């Protein structure tokens, strides 16, 4: 999936992946896609809840080994 920006949140514990995602999303225009790479297992539920509460669309989640990849479209 294509993305406009990639955020590396690997190795960060909750809530840092969400904090960094929020910061990056503020810099994107509506409709742009942020790709997030995280290793914190809690990020799976956190990203889904955060995207929904912020009016963004969680387009896809992939898990490869211990790496989680998220694609969120800015609302």
């Amino acid at each position: 999936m294509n993305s406009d920006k990639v955020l590396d949140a690997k190795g960060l514990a909750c809530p840092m992946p969400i904090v960094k995602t929020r910061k990056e999303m503020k810099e994107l225009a509506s409709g742009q896609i942020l790709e997030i790479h995280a290793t914190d297992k809690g990020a799976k539920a956190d990203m889904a809840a955060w995207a929904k509460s912020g009016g963004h669309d969680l387009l896809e989640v992939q898990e490869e080994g211990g790496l989680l990849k998220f694609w969120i479209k800015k609302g």
Side-chain angles (χ1 to χ4, degrees), residues 17 24 28-29 33-34 40-41 43 52 55-56 61 66 68 72 75:
E24 292 296 328
L28 295 180
I33 297 172
L34 178 64
D40 180 23
K41 295 294 179 202
K52 187 175 182 182
H56 309 298
V61 180
L68 294 164
I72 300 178

Side-chain angles (χ1 to χ4, degrees), residues 3-42:
S3 58
D4 296 289
K5 193 165 190 180
V6 177
L7 170 63
D8 181 1
K10 294 188 293 280
L12 299 177
C14 184
M16 290 312 295
I18 293 293
V19 171
K20 291 193 171 284
T21 297
R22 184 179 335 138
K23 183 176 181 262
E24 292 296 328
M25 287 298 266
K26 287 180 181 177
E27 297 176 13
L28 295 180
S30 184
Q32 286 189 304
I33 297 172
L34 178 64
E35 179 179 339
I36 304 110
H37 297 176
T39 51
D40 180 23
K41 295 294 179 202

